[in-house]
Amino acid sequence: MYNTEKQKLYFDYSKKYLDNQATALDIDELRDILRYHEWRYSIKNDPVIADYEYDSLYKQLEALEASHPELITPDSPTQRISSDLSEDFPAIAHLVPMLSLDNSYNAEDLRKFDEQVRKLAELPPEYPIEYCLEPKFDGGSVAIVYENDIFSRAATRGNGTLGEDITLNVKTLPSIPLRVPFSDVGIHIAELRGEAVIRKDKFDELNQEREAEGLQVFANPRNSAAGGLRMKKPTDTRDREIEIFLYQLGYATDRLGTDMLATINTHNQQIQLLSDLGFKLEDPKELVCADIEEVSRKVKEWENKREAYPYEIDGMVVKVNSRDIQEKCGYTQHHPKWAIAYKFKAKQATTILLNVEYQVGKIGSITPVAKVEPTHLAGVTVSSISLHNEDFITSKDLRIGDKIIIERAGDVIPYVVKSLPDLRDGSEVPIKFPRICPFSESEEVELIKGEGEAAWRCTNCICGRQDLQKIIFHVSKDAMDIDGFGKSYVERFFELGWIKDISDVYNLDFDEISKLEGFGARSAENLQASIEKAKSNPLARLLHSLSIHHLGKKASKLIAREIKNIFDLIDWKTEDFLEIKDIGPVVAQNVQDFFSVERNVALLKRLEERGVNVQQTESDKLKEIATDAPFIGKTILFTGSLQQMTRNQAKEMAESLGAKNISAVSRNLDILVVGENAGSKLKKAQDLGTVQIMSESEFLALAD
Ligand code: IVH
């Protein structure tokens, strides 16, 4: 729909409007620009401008249409609620439309909002209006329906009326219980609204993993959460570690279809109810404000602690607490008139792209790193920023000497939002991504790029840098987990020539180490003990620690389960690998390639000689729990007499599906399965209200 040329045009146009350089405001042009950015944001999950810039363009269009109502067309972006509908998922209708929010940016905007509410609700100036404050989570919005206490479906916001059916994906998320006792409060059908988000630290981890694997990285947590909801494979959604925070009960009726929302007097009570029912929410009590002045104070406090907040939030949402006043305010087509978003200032800065350097990873991926003029950004000085891969550089049209906008939201690693082509003077130099390994000196080593991969890789390393990365990975927590053996030690020993490959980790001279500056007998001993301990690691860890492309933790476990000894893999054929569920041809090929190289087999022999376990251990034999198992991460308890299985069978089944059996009813219990004649445990769970209660047949149906 948008080729590169067109995209560049729309981008330049946006800049023109944002810099107020558009001489005559062209309403059609502005609409096209907004449509383009909606597409980048909602369909591509990869916006090219900041949210507040989009808002500014949107407001310009709104202002233009307000002064020329005759020019409003039914297809104008202002005339519909933006849509993320695609053909990848069937559409389903929301029980009530999902609206958006109007924005405010300062205390003055908030006061105007308060005045407007007062006017609509016909309240006198001295009447204090109570507001609820909530973080404005920056992710993807979701509507979730429960019917008869059971999770029944989930949808994206879509165009506000129709959403995409993402039921199977949302069902994998541990923050969404599959059964909730709505019937206890008389609710038969409930539609909940919430935001899917990813913790900032998890997001950084995810991107680092993806970069190491040569995969495309995500621009920010919002796009990876929103995109994560719309994966074709539900397990991929689950693997993104998405959480859903609820912020509204959009619809609730009893068995007769009577509206139950009308029985809840305040927004706070509504939120409290959801919290009591076991959903994930900010502590609702903390967030009630007596009047708009308190709101103004509190939003500033939140803006200050935004960095420390574990999730990305781009502002706060201010909602009239009283349902009565809400009703009097009503709605526009686009947003409720009783709520407004208070947007935080964007954590962006402009700097200059001085140079691009390259780094090589453990499997040879070449990562370009921008060296920028040191810039203060959200509390840290930034001088290096990863540019991820060649496509990233091309898509952002980055040139050396460019002025660029960089952003750092919270603890998220800074990234380049865009270059500012309008500010070029002609001296800027396009970045030529190397085709020859930038570290090869005497000999030229060509880089290669696998089909469907984003990274160029050096697969024939002669300089040793990849070996260093491989060793760093080998000792890391994810691999052999050698406690206390950090990156800086590896680098030091590597420079000293003490470790050239991973087998040397097990051949260190601890007397020599204890003589090094900064070391002592004690730390050398500790390191020795950690290395000694790692030698008896399960085979799966050893396999994973070898840095074989695409051979992740899970695949390593699956393979380790099938072999007695690591050397068995020398004779494995593609078919042997493919017999294992969830192992595909790419991993099969890469493992075979690794084992067909004599040097690699010799390396494994050296590891064995130096005492590293190469045999299957008891823990390798343990059955891996599928990541899409229905009870994964949940605690479970069976009570009463079961009819269709023994208590032990039930426990085993629950365990094999990812649950942990516990013996008492407490807040730590997630699921109680109730057999016949259940007694005090059932009563206690009902009283707690946080435990999901199900019958034996319901358990079996879910287990199926
Ligand atoms: S209330 C009828 N509350 O922000 C009320 N929205 O810009 C409409 N969002 O589409 C939304 N946190 O996806 C509300 N605490 C919160 C929110 C929130 C994030 C999102 C939501 C909405 C968008 C509007």
Side-chain angles (χ1 to χ4, degrees), residues 97-103 133-142 157 193-195 245-248 267 314 316-317 319 331 335-336 338-339 341 343:
M98 279 181 90
L99 298 183
S100 192
L101 288 167
D102 197 12
N103 290 330
L133 207 53
E134 289 166 0
K136 184 169 188 303
F137 291 103
D138 201 8
S141 25
V142 200
R157 177 162 168 273
R193 275 80 197 279
E195 195 84 356
F245 278 94
L246 295 182
Y247 54 72
Q248 203 189 8
H267 178 71
D314 57 345
M316 299 298 288
V317 183
K319 296 176 179 169
Y331 300 83
H335 59 261
W338 46 263
K343 298 286 273 248

mmCIF file of all heavy atoms in Angstrom, residues 97-103 133-142 157 193-195 245-248 267 314 316-317 319 331 335-336 338-339 341 343, ligand 1:
data_model
loop_
_atom_site.group_PDB
_atom_site.id
_atom_site.type_symbol
_atom_site.label_atom_id
_atom_site.label_comp_id
_atom_site.label_asym_id
_atom_site.label_seq_id
_atom_site.Cartn_x
_atom_site.Cartn_y
_atom_site.Cartn_z
ATOM 1 N N PRO A 97 -19.100 -0.242 22.374
ATOM 2 C CA PRO A 97 -17.922 0.251 21.667
ATOM 3 C C PRO A 97 -16.783 0.606 22.621
ATOM 4 O O PRO A 97 -17.021 1.064 23.745
ATOM 5 C CB PRO A 97 -18.428 1.505 20.951
ATOM 6 C CG PRO A 97 -19.891 1.339 20.877
ATOM 7 C CD PRO A 97 -20.308 0.518 22.052
ATOM 8 N N MET A 98 -15.561 0.368 22.172
ATOM 9 C CA MET A 98 -14.380 0.744 22.971
ATOM 10 C C MET A 98 -13.912 2.102 22.479
ATOM 11 O O MET A 98 -13.485 2.236 21.339
ATOM 12 C CB MET A 98 -13.262 -0.264 22.745
ATOM 13 C CG MET A 98 -13.400 -1.513 23.554
ATOM 14 S SD MET A 98 -12.024 -2.622 23.239
ATOM 15 C CE MET A 98 -10.848 -2.120 24.472
ATOM 16 N N LEU A 99 -14.001 3.075 23.349
ATOM 17 C CA LEU A 99 -13.661 4.428 22.928
ATOM 18 C C LEU A 99 -12.214 4.743 23.253
ATOM 19 O O LEU A 99 -11.501 3.964 23.866
ATOM 20 C CB LEU A 99 -14.584 5.431 23.619
ATOM 21 C CG LEU A 99 -16.065 5.280 23.279
ATOM 22 C CD1 LEU A 99 -16.867 6.367 23.965
ATOM 23 C CD2 LEU A 99 -16.302 5.309 21.775
ATOM 24 N N SER A 100 -11.817 5.942 22.834
ATOM 25 C CA SER A 100 -10.466 6.396 23.109
ATOM 26 C C SER A 100 -10.516 7.470 24.199
ATOM 27 O O SER A 100 -11.541 7.587 24.886
ATOM 28 C CB SER A 100 -9.886 6.945 21.819
ATOM 29 O OG SER A 100 -8.519 7.132 21.986
ATOM 30 N N LEU A 101 -9.453 8.239 24.337
ATOM 31 C CA LEU A 101 -9.442 9.292 25.362
ATOM 32 C C LEU A 101 -8.990 10.599 24.744
ATOM 33 O O LEU A 101 -8.173 10.608 23.817
ATOM 34 C CB LEU A 101 -8.454 8.924 26.477
ATOM 35 C CG LEU A 101 -8.832 7.793 27.416
ATOM 36 C CD1 LEU A 101 -7.617 7.364 28.239
ATOM 37 C CD2 LEU A 101 -9.957 8.236 28.350
ATOM 38 N N ASP A 102 -9.490 11.701 25.280
ATOM 39 C CA ASP A 102 -8.971 12.999 24.894
ATOM 40 C C ASP A 102 -7.692 13.215 25.710
ATOM 41 O O ASP A 102 -7.499 12.575 26.741
ATOM 42 C CB ASP A 102 -10.025 14.070 25.225
ATOM 43 C CG ASP A 102 -9.733 15.361 24.497
ATOM 44 O OD1 ASP A 102 -8.883 15.357 23.585
ATOM 45 O OD2 ASP A 102 -10.354 16.398 24.839
ATOM 46 N N ASN A 103 -6.827 14.125 25.231
ATOM 47 C CA ASN A 103 -5.546 14.318 25.917
ATOM 48 C C ASN A 103 -5.432 15.672 26.604
ATOM 49 O O ASN A 103 -6.005 16.658 26.145
ATOM 50 C CB ASN A 103 -4.397 14.233 24.908
ATOM 51 C CG ASN A 103 -4.226 12.818 24.399
ATOM 52 O OD1 ASN A 103 -4.517 11.861 25.126
ATOM 53 N ND2 ASN A 103 -3.787 12.676 23.175
ATOM 54 N N LEU A 133 -7.501 8.261 39.542
ATOM 55 C CA LEU A 133 -6.304 8.398 38.733
ATOM 56 C C LEU A 133 -5.764 7.001 38.455
ATOM 57 O O LEU A 133 -5.745 6.159 39.354
ATOM 58 C CB LEU A 133 -5.297 9.183 39.574
ATOM 59 C CG LEU A 133 -4.253 9.990 38.857
ATOM 60 C CD1 LEU A 133 -4.885 10.906 37.851
ATOM 61 C CD2 LEU A 133 -3.477 10.790 39.896
ATOM 62 N N GLU A 134 -5.348 6.773 37.229
ATOM 63 C CA GLU A 134 -4.767 5.465 36.896
ATOM 64 C C GLU A 134 -3.578 5.670 35.987
ATOM 65 O O GLU A 134 -3.574 6.610 35.200
ATOM 66 C CB GLU A 134 -5.787 4.618 36.119
ATOM 67 C CG GLU A 134 -6.921 4.137 36.950
ATOM 68 C CD GLU A 134 -8.075 3.612 36.094
ATOM 69 O OE1 GLU A 134 -7.973 3.633 34.850
ATOM 70 O OE2 GLU A 134 -9.069 3.215 36.687
ATOM 71 N N PRO A 135 -2.603 4.790 36.064
ATOM 72 C CA PRO A 135 -1.521 4.886 35.092
ATOM 73 C C PRO A 135 -2.106 4.677 33.692
ATOM 74 O O PRO A 135 -3.039 3.889 33.527
ATOM 75 C CB PRO A 135 -0.599 3.722 35.441
ATOM 76 C CG PRO A 135 -1.027 3.236 36.775
ATOM 77 C CD PRO A 135 -2.446 3.645 36.973
ATOM 78 N N LYS A 136 -1.595 5.387 32.724
ATOM 79 C CA LYS A 136 -2.029 5.133 31.351
ATOM 80 C C LYS A 136 -1.007 4.175 30.746
ATOM 81 O O LYS A 136 0.083 4.574 30.332
ATOM 82 C CB LYS A 136 -2.103 6.431 30.554
ATOM 83 C CG LYS A 136 -2.648 6.208 29.161
ATOM 84 C CD LYS A 136 -2.981 7.506 28.476
ATOM 85 C CE LYS A 136 -3.698 7.287 27.168
ATOM 86 N NZ LYS A 136 -2.992 6.471 26.209
ATOM 87 N N PHE A 137 -1.371 2.915 30.804
ATOM 88 C CA PHE A 137 -0.459 1.879 30.324
ATOM 89 C C PHE A 137 -0.293 2.005 28.821
ATOM 90 O O PHE A 137 -1.264 2.216 28.094
ATOM 91 C CB PHE A 137 -1.009 0.492 30.676
ATOM 92 C CG PHE A 137 -0.974 0.233 32.151
ATOM 93 C CD1 PHE A 137 -2.126 0.307 32.911
ATOM 94 C CD2 PHE A 137 0.220 -0.053 32.767
ATOM 95 C CE1 PHE A 137 -2.088 0.082 34.266
ATOM 96 C CE2 PHE A 137 0.271 -0.279 34.127
ATOM 97 C CZ PHE A 137 -0.881 -0.206 34.883
ATOM 98 N N ASP A 138 0.949 1.853 28.392
ATOM 99 C CA ASP A 138 1.229 2.034 26.980
ATOM 100 C C ASP A 138 1.454 0.672 26.341
ATOM 101 O O ASP A 138 2.558 0.137 26.352
ATOM 102 C CB ASP A 138 2.486 2.915 26.863
ATOM 103 C CG ASP A 138 2.563 3.573 25.512
ATOM 104 O OD1 ASP A 138 1.594 3.475 24.749
ATOM 105 O OD2 ASP A 138 3.599 4.196 25.229
ATOM 106 N N GLY A 139 0.394 0.088 25.844
ATOM 107 C CA GLY A 139 0.508 -1.249 25.254
ATOM 108 C C GLY A 139 -0.558 -1.425 24.185
ATOM 109 O O GLY A 139 -0.761 -0.539 23.358
ATOM 110 N N GLY A 140 -1.252 -2.551 24.220
ATOM 111 C CA GLY A 140 -2.329 -2.786 23.257
ATOM 112 C C GLY A 140 -3.614 -3.030 24.021
ATOM 113 O O GLY A 140 -3.619 -3.780 24.994
ATOM 114 N N SER A 141 -4.723 -2.399 23.596
ATOM 115 C CA SER A 141 -5.949 -2.595 24.380
ATOM 116 C C SER A 141 -6.676 -3.876 24.013
ATOM 117 O O SER A 141 -6.657 -4.332 22.870
ATOM 118 C CB SER A 141 -6.884 -1.397 24.316
ATOM 119 O OG SER A 141 -6.676 -0.663 23.169
ATOM 120 N N VAL A 142 -7.325 -4.431 25.026
ATOM 121 C CA VAL A 142 -7.995 -5.724 24.883
ATOM 122 C C VAL A 142 -9.367 -5.661 25.551
ATOM 123 O O VAL A 142 -9.524 -5.012 26.588
ATOM 124 C CB VAL A 142 -7.220 -6.832 25.645
ATOM 125 C CG1 VAL A 142 -7.597 -8.198 25.136
ATOM 126 C CG2 VAL A 142 -5.739 -6.641 25.578
ATOM 127 N N ARG A 157 -8.862 -3.913 20.239
ATOM 128 C CA ARG A 157 -9.812 -2.812 20.157
ATOM 129 C C ARG A 157 -10.374 -2.680 18.738
ATOM 130 O O ARG A 157 -11.523 -2.303 18.544
ATOM 131 C CB ARG A 157 -9.090 -1.535 20.571
ATOM 132 C CG ARG A 157 -9.924 -0.315 20.461
ATOM 133 C CD ARG A 157 -9.286 0.789 21.284
ATOM 134 N NE ARG A 157 -9.896 2.051 20.980
ATOM 135 C CZ ARG A 157 -9.497 2.821 19.999
ATOM 136 N NH1 ARG A 157 -8.501 2.441 19.243
ATOM 137 N NH2 ARG A 157 -10.107 3.948 19.778
ATOM 138 N N ARG A 193 -12.178 -4.313 30.077
ATOM 139 C CA ARG A 193 -11.209 -3.659 29.203
ATOM 140 C C ARG A 193 -9.881 -3.539 29.930
ATOM 141 O O ARG A 193 -9.855 -3.250 31.130
ATOM 142 C CB ARG A 193 -11.662 -2.245 28.850
ATOM 143 C CG ARG A 193 -12.598 -2.205 27.693
ATOM 144 C CD ARG A 193 -13.994 -2.559 28.148
ATOM 145 N NE ARG A 193 -14.876 -2.925 27.065
ATOM 146 C CZ ARG A 193 -15.493 -2.049 26.305
ATOM 147 N NH1 ARG A 193 -15.346 -0.780 26.529
ATOM 148 N NH2 ARG A 193 -16.264 -2.446 25.329
ATOM 149 N N GLY A 194 -8.828 -3.716 29.195
ATOM 150 C CA GLY A 194 -7.517 -3.613 29.821
ATOM 151 C C GLY A 194 -6.448 -3.363 28.787
ATOM 152 O O GLY A 194 -6.731 -3.268 27.590
ATOM 153 N N GLU A 195 -5.243 -3.270 29.271
ATOM 154 C CA GLU A 195 -4.116 -2.978 28.389
ATOM 155 C C GLU A 195 -3.065 -4.075 28.555
ATOM 156 O O GLU A 195 -2.700 -4.423 29.684
ATOM 157 C CB GLU A 195 -3.553 -1.608 28.796
ATOM 158 C CG GLU A 195 -2.644 -0.991 27.792
ATOM 159 C CD GLU A 195 -3.363 -0.231 26.674
ATOM 160 O OE1 GLU A 195 -4.629 -0.233 26.618
ATOM 161 O OE2 GLU A 195 -2.651 0.344 25.840
ATOM 162 N N PHE A 245 -3.330 -5.474 32.372
ATOM 163 C CA PHE A 245 -3.858 -4.665 33.472
ATOM 164 C C PHE A 245 -5.251 -4.204 33.076
ATOM 165 O O PHE A 245 -5.438 -3.621 32.010
ATOM 166 C CB PHE A 245 -2.984 -3.426 33.699
ATOM 167 C CG PHE A 245 -1.779 -3.703 34.530
ATOM 168 C CD1 PHE A 245 -0.569 -4.017 33.938
ATOM 169 C CD2 PHE A 245 -1.853 -3.634 35.912
ATOM 170 C CE1 PHE A 245 0.556 -4.268 34.710
ATOM 171 C CE2 PHE A 245 -0.737 -3.887 36.694
ATOM 172 C CZ PHE A 245 0.465 -4.202 36.093
ATOM 173 N N LEU A 246 -6.203 -4.442 33.948
ATOM 174 C CA LEU A 246 -7.568 -4.020 33.610
ATOM 175 C C LEU A 246 -7.814 -2.604 34.093
ATOM 176 O O LEU A 246 -7.256 -2.185 35.108
ATOM 177 C CB LEU A 246 -8.565 -4.953 34.266
ATOM 178 C CG LEU A 246 -8.519 -6.380 33.746
ATOM 179 C CD1 LEU A 246 -9.567 -7.208 34.420
ATOM 180 C CD2 LEU A 246 -8.693 -6.434 32.244
ATOM 181 N N TYR A 247 -8.636 -1.864 33.374
ATOM 182 C CA TYR A 247 -8.964 -0.515 33.834
ATOM 183 C C TYR A 247 -10.453 -0.194 33.761
ATOM 184 O O TYR A 247 -10.878 0.888 34.111
ATOM 185 C CB TYR A 247 -8.162 0.552 33.085
ATOM 186 C CG TYR A 247 -8.273 0.465 31.577
ATOM 187 C CD1 TYR A 247 -9.430 0.830 30.912
ATOM 188 C CD2 TYR A 247 -7.188 0.021 30.819
ATOM 189 C CE1 TYR A 247 -9.523 0.755 29.544
ATOM 190 C CE2 TYR A 247 -7.268 -0.058 29.437
ATOM 191 C CZ TYR A 247 -8.441 0.316 28.806
ATOM 192 O OH TYR A 247 -8.535 0.223 27.453
ATOM 193 N N GLN A 248 -11.259 -1.135 33.304
ATOM 194 C CA GLN A 248 -12.685 -0.812 33.199
ATOM 195 C C GLN A 248 -13.539 -2.067 33.056
ATOM 196 O O GLN A 248 -13.117 -3.049 32.437
ATOM 197 C CB GLN A 248 -12.899 0.055 31.953
ATOM 198 C CG GLN A 248 -14.142 0.892 32.023
ATOM 199 C CD GLN A 248 -14.440 1.563 30.692
ATOM 200 O OE1 GLN A 248 -13.796 1.293 29.682
ATOM 201 N NE2 GLN A 248 -15.421 2.426 30.699
ATOM 202 N N HIS A 267 -16.467 4.666 39.964
ATOM 203 C CA HIS A 267 -15.444 3.970 39.182
ATOM 204 C C HIS A 267 -14.537 3.186 40.123
ATOM 205 O O HIS A 267 -14.148 2.054 39.853
ATOM 206 C CB HIS A 267 -14.629 4.979 38.371
ATOM 207 C CG HIS A 267 -13.520 4.350 37.582
ATOM 208 N ND1 HIS A 267 -13.754 3.560 36.478
ATOM 209 C CD2 HIS A 267 -12.177 4.345 37.765
ATOM 210 C CE1 HIS A 267 -12.607 3.110 36.013
ATOM 211 N NE2 HIS A 267 -11.632 3.579 36.778
ATOM 212 N N ASP A 314 2.622 6.229 29.494
ATOM 213 C CA ASP A 314 2.872 7.483 28.790
ATOM 214 C C ASP A 314 2.065 8.624 29.390
ATOM 215 O O ASP A 314 2.014 9.713 28.852
ATOM 216 C CB ASP A 314 2.620 7.347 27.286
ATOM 217 C CG ASP A 314 1.216 6.884 26.961
ATOM 218 O OD1 ASP A 314 0.516 6.403 27.868
ATOM 219 O OD2 ASP A 314 0.806 7.001 25.791
ATOM 220 N N MET A 316 -1.186 9.593 32.689
ATOM 221 C CA MET A 316 -2.144 9.103 33.673
ATOM 222 C C MET A 316 -3.537 9.291 33.079
ATOM 223 O O MET A 316 -3.740 10.175 32.246
ATOM 224 C CB MET A 316 -2.051 9.912 34.977
ATOM 225 C CG MET A 316 -0.716 9.846 35.672
ATOM 226 S SD MET A 316 -0.234 8.189 36.202
ATOM 227 C CE MET A 316 -1.339 7.915 37.574
ATOM 228 N N VAL A 317 -4.483 8.461 33.532
ATOM 229 C CA VAL A 317 -5.853 8.664 33.081
ATOM 230 C C VAL A 317 -6.665 9.194 34.259
ATOM 231 O O VAL A 317 -6.580 8.661 35.362
ATOM 232 C CB VAL A 317 -6.467 7.360 32.535
ATOM 233 C CG1 VAL A 317 -7.876 7.630 31.998
ATOM 234 C CG2 VAL A 317 -5.599 6.776 31.442
ATOM 235 N N LYS A 319 -10.326 9.987 35.710
ATOM 236 C CA LYS A 319 -11.727 9.598 35.462
ATOM 237 C C LYS A 319 -12.621 10.128 36.562
ATOM 238 O O LYS A 319 -12.277 9.994 37.755
ATOM 239 C CB LYS A 319 -11.854 8.072 35.421
ATOM 240 C CG LYS A 319 -11.091 7.442 34.287
ATOM 241 C CD LYS A 319 -11.149 5.916 34.332
ATOM 242 C CE LYS A 319 -10.377 5.338 33.159
ATOM 243 N NZ LYS A 319 -10.172 3.906 33.257
ATOM 244 N N TYR A 331 -20.796 11.124 26.199
ATOM 245 C CA TYR A 331 -19.697 10.693 25.323
ATOM 246 C C TYR A 331 -19.684 11.482 24.023
ATOM 247 O O TYR A 331 -20.728 11.923 23.564
ATOM 248 C CB TYR A 331 -19.888 9.212 24.939
ATOM 249 C CG TYR A 331 -19.895 8.290 26.128
ATOM 250 C CD1 TYR A 331 -21.057 8.094 26.879
ATOM 251 C CD2 TYR A 331 -18.745 7.610 26.495
ATOM 252 C CE1 TYR A 331 -21.063 7.253 27.974
ATOM 253 C CE2 TYR A 331 -18.743 6.758 27.589
ATOM 254 C CZ TYR A 331 -19.904 6.582 28.330
ATOM 255 O OH TYR A 331 -19.891 5.745 29.407
ATOM 256 N N HIS A 335 -14.550 9.761 22.496
ATOM 257 C CA HIS A 335 -14.118 9.536 23.881
ATOM 258 C C HIS A 335 -15.218 9.876 24.890
ATOM 259 O O HIS A 335 -16.133 10.623 24.586
ATOM 260 C CB HIS A 335 -12.874 10.385 24.176
ATOM 261 C CG HIS A 335 -13.092 11.859 23.981
ATOM 262 N ND1 HIS A 335 -12.697 12.516 22.853
ATOM 263 C CD2 HIS A 335 -13.683 12.785 24.768
ATOM 264 C CE1 HIS A 335 -13.028 13.794 22.954
ATOM 265 N NE2 HIS A 335 -13.629 13.986 24.099
ATOM 266 N N PRO A 336 -15.074 9.306 26.107
ATOM 267 C CA PRO A 336 -16.024 9.707 27.155
ATOM 268 C C PRO A 336 -15.698 11.139 27.595
ATOM 269 O O PRO A 336 -14.521 11.501 27.642
ATOM 270 C CB PRO A 336 -15.743 8.727 28.297
ATOM 271 C CG PRO A 336 -14.395 8.177 28.041
ATOM 272 C CD PRO A 336 -14.115 8.295 26.583
ATOM 273 N N TRP A 338 -16.176 12.207 30.489
ATOM 274 C CA TRP A 338 -15.873 12.174 31.920
ATOM 275 C C TRP A 338 -14.465 11.670 32.223
ATOM 276 O O TRP A 338 -14.116 11.416 33.369
ATOM 277 C CB TRP A 338 -16.908 11.337 32.671
ATOM 278 C CG TRP A 338 -17.225 10.009 32.010
ATOM 279 C CD1 TRP A 338 -18.274 9.749 31.191
ATOM 280 C CD2 TRP A 338 -16.486 8.779 32.111
ATOM 281 N NE1 TRP A 338 -18.243 8.438 30.768
ATOM 282 C CE2 TRP A 338 -17.154 7.823 31.323
ATOM 283 C CE3 TRP A 338 -15.325 8.389 32.788
ATOM 284 C CZ2 TRP A 338 -16.717 6.512 31.197
ATOM 285 C CZ3 TRP A 338 -14.881 7.076 32.655
ATOM 286 C CH2 TRP A 338 -15.570 6.159 31.860
ATOM 287 N N ALA A 339 -13.684 11.502 31.172
ATOM 288 C CA ALA A 339 -12.306 11.021 31.398
ATOM 289 C C ALA A 339 -11.362 11.746 30.459
ATOM 290 O O ALA A 339 -11.766 12.206 29.391
ATOM 291 C CB ALA A 339 -12.231 9.519 31.144
ATOM 292 N N ALA A 341 -6.907 11.797 29.308
ATOM 293 C CA ALA A 341 -5.533 11.324 29.551
ATOM 294 C C ALA A 341 -4.659 12.536 29.832
ATOM 295 O O ALA A 341 -4.798 13.560 29.184
ATOM 296 C CB ALA A 341 -5.020 10.586 28.321
ATOM 297 N N LYS A 343 -0.960 13.450 29.469
ATOM 298 C CA LYS A 343 0.214 12.852 28.821
ATOM 299 C C LYS A 343 1.503 13.407 29.413
ATOM 300 O O LYS A 343 1.659 14.619 29.539
ATOM 301 C CB LYS A 343 0.186 13.154 27.314
ATOM 302 C CG LYS A 343 -1.034 12.571 26.598
ATOM 303 C CD LYS A 343 -0.934 11.083 26.413
ATOM 304 C CE LYS A 343 -0.227 10.701 25.205
ATOM 305 N NZ LYS A 343 -0.754 10.104 24.104
HETATM 306 S S1 IVH B 1 -9.947 4.304 29.772
HETATM 307 C C1 IVH B 1 -13.857 4.752 28.092
HETATM 308 N N1 IVH B 1 -7.883 3.800 31.314
HETATM 309 O O1 IVH B 1 -5.386 4.408 26.335
HETATM 310 C C2 IVH B 1 -12.484 4.887 28.577
HETATM 311 N N2 IVH B 1 -7.559 3.706 28.968
HETATM 312 O O2 IVH B 1 -5.687 6.696 24.513
HETATM 313 C C3 IVH B 1 -11.448 4.615 27.563
HETATM 314 N N3 IVH B 1 -5.300 3.058 28.282
HETATM 315 O O3 IVH B 1 -7.647 2.897 24.128
HETATM 316 C C4 IVH B 1 -10.164 4.186 28.045
HETATM 317 N N4 IVH B 1 -4.463 2.831 30.301
HETATM 318 O O4 IVH B 1 -6.122 1.364 25.460
HETATM 319 C C5 IVH B 1 -8.316 3.897 30.050
HETATM 320 N N5 IVH B 1 -6.131 3.344 32.796
HETATM 321 C C6 IVH B 1 -6.596 3.444 31.546
HETATM 322 C C7 IVH B 1 -5.758 3.200 30.434
HETATM 323 C C8 IVH B 1 -6.291 3.347 29.147
HETATM 324 C C9 IVH B 1 -4.218 2.754 29.013
HETATM 325 C C10 IVH B 1 -5.356 3.096 26.811
HETATM 326 C C11 IVH B 1 -6.578 2.423 26.233
HETATM 327 C C12 IVH B 1 -7.226 3.445 25.337
HETATM 328 C C13 IVH B 1 -6.130 4.434 25.126
HETATM 329 C C14 IVH B 1 -6.685 5.807 24.875
#
